[in-house]
Amino acid sequence: MQDVKILTLSDLLSYGRSHTGSSTPGPPIIFDQNPQRPPGSSTSNPNQELEPLAQLDYPAILVGTLRLPTLTLSCPHKNCLEFSDDSDAVCCDIVGFDLRAIGKKIHVLTWNFITSDHLSSGFLEIFKWDLSDSSHGLSRCSSMIIDSSPLVSNSIEHVPRASNAKSYRIHGVIGAVSPVSVVPCSVEDSSSSKSMNLRGFQVRVMTCECKLCRYEESVSVLFGAADCHFFTVPVYVYFCGPAWCWHPVLMKLIEKVVTISGLMKKLTMMGKQDSVLMLVTAENTVLHLPRLWKKIKVVRDSYVGTVKNVYMKGLVVELDKEVWLLLTNQSLMPPHGLRIGAVISMRNVHFVDPQFSWAKFLVLGTCSNTSIIVKSFSPLKTRCLIVSHSQSRLGDFIETLGFPTRLWVLLLVSCFQKTFSGVFSINKILGSSHNEGLVQRFANSHLNSSVFRARHGVLMEFCKHESCCSATDPYHGNLKLVVPISSFIYHCEILWINALLPSDNNLPVSCGGKYYQRSKRKSFQSEDLGIILVGMLKISSSSGRLQLVDMTGSIDVIIPDLPSFWDPNSIFEVIDYFLIAEGMPESDHPGLSGDDLLLPRSIFQGFPSARKPNLKIFVCFHLRNATCRNRLIYPYVASEDELNDTKSGIFHLIYITRKFRSQSHSKKLEISVFAEAIVMPWYLFLTAKDGSIHQEKVLIDCTIGNPTDHSSSKRQKTSCSSSQSGPGFKNNFCNVCFEKGTFLRETCGHQSCMGTNFSHEIPCLATIQGVNNFFFTSFGTLYRIKTNAKAKVCKGSAKKIFLAFASESDFKYQLLQIGGFYLMKHHKEGSLCNIKDSGLECAKVLVTSGTYLRKLSFSSEILTADKSMHDSSVSDIHLHVSSSLTGLFESDTKELETGQNAPDANLGNSGLLDHSCLFPARMFTSVCGDIIAVHSFDQGSDMCSSREHYGDLRQYGFCAGAKNCCIHVSVANQTVKVFEFFNQYLFPTGFGPGINATFHRILDLRPRVPSTLLLTSESSIVIDPIRAFNETHSSDGNLKLFRCRVVAVHLLVLEKNNRKCDDLKSNMQSRPLGVDIPLACFILDDGSRSWCCWADAKRAATLLRLKECPLSGCEASGYKKRWIGVQNTDRTSTMHHLQRILEKHERITVKSARSVFDPINQDFTVTVGSGRELTGLDDDFHLLASIIFNASINTLWTVVTEVMDSNAVNLLKEHLVEMQMPMPSMENLWAAEVCFVNQRTEAREMLQNNL
Amino acid sequence: MAQQPPSMLNVHVRLLGFSLRSITPSPGCSSVFKLNGKPISRVEVLGVVTSRDCKPNKFLRFTLDDATETITCILWLNHLSSHFFFDRQPGTLRVIADLAKRFADDLQIGEVARVRGNVGSYRGDLQVTVSDVVIESDPNAETLHWLDCISLARLCYFA
């Protein structure tokens, strides 16, 4: 040991770095169980420093004394062994523990020293040591080496004891050790009575009742007769007073046989009623331990695992094999050595399968009985575990829950910390010692009261361990996971990729002579995802779309019943929703496992936030199914009644005709978004009277009193109007709304006033939607003012207005729908009511965040709470009026729109529009139809360069855009194409095939360019949100399996495949086909029916037997011999022949020209890319005919088919019409999978099923 | 209202020989037969070739034995000479003629053949005019065909 340096603790501390040192330095320890970094693990977790500890480059030892814990050491646990030398003292842990080392000087031969901010002097992990003087052993008992150590020696603390008390001895196996706790204690002496705080812990010793044990044989006899003992009787020993410091030693002795002598018996009260006779340590208590330890298995629930990560300040420990250890027990002080990379041993843990729907893993729950020791120290440079349980309501709350629920709450904490960071303070999220935080209130709202367990003290919980068992039950309330939105999006991306099957129905779109891949859409139900979304509703400033937002990200949403107003700071919880992911799958996306996506690891660490640009993800839900959680945050604030504005008053009725963004680059304009609206000659007057109590009566009365002819300009009045609108209604109307000094004011009290100025007076019932889906009804009357009315409602008036939206009211603009009726409240100071009468028919009205603007809908039925307005329309206020009123509105609207199409006269002057973008007004139109397909096409493609038809597009400068898009819309059974050359954000969320959409103000190029329309910067698309919602959860179609044969090939489009496979290692199956088959239709027959089977390239290639060799048809015709002379190679396959002819023709279309029911009775027309038709004399024709006959003359296939939805069938019709082919009158099915029939297996299964 | 079952007129009905014997001609249309009242015109049969009578470039008449009955089949080999095929494209006709020749070569006595074709009658006897032939090398093909025929008969043809 000459070269070995003796280091002191102060040397280690002055070194200042975590390191490992040894008397014989060797190569660094290689840790073979590297903790896995999760995909894209964030750097937020400081525990992710996974480097090995630095090694001292010279041999060294430490010499010092190993001591029991003292309260003087600066350690929050106050429960660690202590290593001290002349220079300093540090917390330490030791493997290979020997009782003899306690209080003795030892040589530490190998160690880890971990610096820590929380431990003033760091932490020493001793894993190789020896006694500096082995002669200083403990007392030796008889012939067997038994170390005996008095528990109390020279201790300052003194436990009072009664004199002359009998001393007891127990011999047994240590089964469990409780945490150290402090209990108030009252001790009566002969002279006085004093109270003190007694520090101590309990040990459960499994004792034996054999003769040897009962007759108090000597310690050596007891240990010597090991086979005689059966340790089955639990005895509790309370180590109190100075003996408390033996806690770390006792922890290491679990499952070891010990003898403890010199104990006293005491009756201990547990709570107020229970009492337990307990053995208590005393002054002369001695612990006897044989030198040769023998483990006796008395602990059932033990586990050994490697620490992979530590989360939530040590409350959750991830072990290998997807095991999660919960350290939520506030009295438990896990060892500092519980670091990443350490191997730990846990005794008396609870094994719980939480049975969460979102992930499968095992939870280890800890309780007062649990003990954790480090079996092998971590060689990694990772932090010490310092658990400092501060008293908080959340901590107490968590301890009342079962283990699975505890983990759920901790995940919730982690999520909310990310979701609301910066929005709310940590105190608000987590709560404090006095107040509940958001997490606790949220958790409470999801948990049944039955899940909470009563808490007892540490002593009682230790002694009555069975009470903990209730915590191990899985929570059966189907707890759903709350994840930050960014994590949710990442999760959904992986889900989408994994859910996509290569066989998914993905008919290409044929357009302008080219085929385009359609994006693939998948929907997922929240029930299957098991995830709750929490966030705020905002309009994205970049895309203008409605989004659910938290601090981590945002996701587009469709909310069919979204009102025009909501508090952007309201927090919504969405449980029931549909998730839709749509995009073009990458051909070679990396294989991502979706199995462990929602493991706690991912939640605690967070997912990467990178999004794939080719994937759209959005969520659909009804606001009525979402819960506003503002009360969780502001529990004492009463919700504002935002309905006050709507309850009563006069409202103008406007009709939106146009929405646009200013194209002007003028910096003078602060406002860039506008809407054009027609001011209808109608006014709505609402009384403040809640009509809900009279709802049924109103319905009856109004229905009976339905005016016969509203189209007449003659004033109409329903019979129920006076009874429902209440006395003095007309007076009120005039007094409330008309300007002082106007002509009408003087006469308004007379019936004649109403007759002179109003052509219609229609009572109605308004159902008004408030936030949180609160509805109420109010009586009202609709007045139609006569054109020649002498009275004026407002100072000035205009027939057309331009709503100019201030930036803060951008969301109002985004939600505004062209073709929608809106209410604006009449207000003396309002900009609509103060239009200067400048003689113009048009005026600008500023819309600020305070402007009252609500969407209005009409119907002749009364909506109830069960059948809310969400089901029929999307509006804030729904008027129940007679059915003929709608027609009246329409005729009014039409009349007003006519003649007001002299476009932009006023706007042009105002500089709102760039004149270069103006189009002839008559070319604008609106179309409504079902979207069949949406595809992009490249700039400079046939679409806008070579084709004569599209020449006009260039006229408007439309070919400049890099991203062009074509939308196929079915309008009245005809397909029209709408081109888009602008930004993608023009499309509303959910826009896609199968959706019904109205395109407003699109440029109509018909009839010059057939079936062609153009989206312009002024266009807007309104989708039917209800249909969009319904579309999202339509099923993917039923799969059916057929054993069938190909009868004929109806249609086949072959294209040269330009994709190359770079990966030479990839097997043949996964390589891209040498030939692309964008469209293929086979007639299949299973003996009972025949149908059209459409297939993608891969399935079509299988059905065509392209990879088979040799081609019988070719062989017969000598075709093969001409090209190649070798068989059984890749080059002899039909595919190879096809590739060769496609090199020449680029594209080949084969159309059936004869029977599709007889395999041999088929004829074809074959056209190639150049447009030329191949004749029968052509070799290439011969090859293609051979391929088709070869496919038709074959044995059985097993084909898994999927029913095609109406949208896909429409798309097919469009393809066939374009090719001038008839649609066979058979069912259309999509080939999801095609494989050979194993005839023996199939026959056996059929026999088994029939026997 | 119950949904109308799809027509089987253009379906290749999989039949065992004895079932084929049970079909009856449809009045007024020689190419249509009735199977349990359902009109059919095409069949698929499978059996061992037990006899063959070949007239080169004219036809091959052969019989299939499927263990329930023998079925007479005729394969035409005169595609390039008969006026019957005059309306076919020359390109496809050449392939069809080659295929028919190959079928005839393959249909040797003892082979198990899967035959699709139109059902008709010749001199009062049923015969199948062959569309295509697949020689089955898998010994399980016959068993599976029987089971298929039984299953289809139960679930579809005689349901």
Side-chain angles (χ1 to χ4, degrees), chain A residues 1043 1045-1046 1085 1087 1112 1154 1157-1158 1160-1164 1181-1182 1192 1195-1196 1239-1240 1243 1246 1250, chain B residues 10-12 14 44 87-89 92 94-96 102 114 116 131-132 136 140-141 147-148 157:
Chain A
R1043 189 163 55 245
R1045 296 181 68 187
V1046 175
D1085 173 342
S1112 55
R1154 205 180 168 88
F1157 298 112
D1158 190 335
I1160 217 74
N1161 202 15
Q1162 300 181 75
D1163 275 341
F1164 319 97
F1181 180 95
H1182 198 140
S1192 309
T1195 188
L1196 297 163
Q1239 302 205 54
R1240 184 169 56 184
M1246 282 187 83
N1250 284 298
Chain B
N10 288 311
V11 174
H12 290 90
R14 286 181 207 169
E44 178 176 326
D87 62 337
R88 300 297 302 269
Q89 289 171 330
T92 46
R94 232 171 75 206
V95 180
I96 293 165
R102 201 194 77 196
R114 185 185 292 274
R116 281 189 294 192
S131 285
D132 70 315
E136 289 285 358
N140 304 292
L147 291 166
D148 264 345
Y157 310 149

Side-chain angles (χ1 to χ4, degrees), chain A residues 420-429 438 569 571 633-634:
Chain A
F420 298 117
S421 109
V423 179
F424 304 117
S425 65
I426 284 290
N427 259 358
K428 197 139 220 166
I429 297 170
L438 176 60
N569 295 317
I571 290 178
I633 305 148
Y634 314 107

Side-chain angles (χ1 to χ4, degrees), chain A residues 792-807:
Chain A
K792 281 184 174 180
V793 178
C794 307
K795 277 179 185 168
S797 63
K799 285 184 179 171
K800 187 161 88 171
I801 51 171
F802 284 98
L803 300 172
F805 290 82
S807 58

Side-chain angles (χ1 to χ4, degrees), chain A residues 970-984:
Chain A
S970 171
V971 182
N973 288 327
Q974 289 208 330
T975 304
V976 295
K977 291 175 187 173
V978 181
F979 290 95
E980 189 265 335
F981 296 89
F982 289 93
N983 299 320
Q984 280 203 331

Side-chain angles (χ1 to χ4, degrees), chain B residues 140-157:
Chain B
N140 304 292
E142 277 185 280
T143 313
L144 184 61
H145 178 72
W146 292 332
L147 291 166
D148 264 345
C149 290
I150 294 165
S151 172
L152 283 164
R154 274 186 195 163
L155 300 172
C156 181
Y157 310 149

Side-chain angles (χ1 to χ4, degrees), chain A residues 484-495:
Chain A
I485 287 174
S486 62
S487 305
F488 179 72
I489 291 169
Y490 180 80
H491 175 66
C492 296
E493 283 173 358
I494 306 297
L495 268 185

Side-chain angles (χ1 to χ4, degrees), chain A residues 606-660:
Chain A
F607 294 93
S609 55
R611 285 194 64 173
K612 290 175 181 59
N614 61 349
L615 182 63
K616 285 184 283 183
I617 292 178
F618 60 95
V619 164
C620 295
F621 60 90
H622 278 107
L623 204 63
R624 66 168 179 263
N625 293 336
T627 315
C628 182
R629 288 296 191 183
N630 287 351
R631 279 182 182 275
L632 297 181
I633 305 148
Y634 314 107
Y636 307 112
V637 178
S639 66
E640 290 179 31
D641 185 4
E642 74 296 325
L643 297 175
N644 284 333
D645 271 350
T646 309
K647 274 182 176 171
S648 63
I650 305 294
F651 300 87
H652 297 270
L653 187 59
I654 62 169
Y655 176 76
I656 306 296
T657 55
R658 183 178 173 194
K659 282 170 71 176
F660 58 95

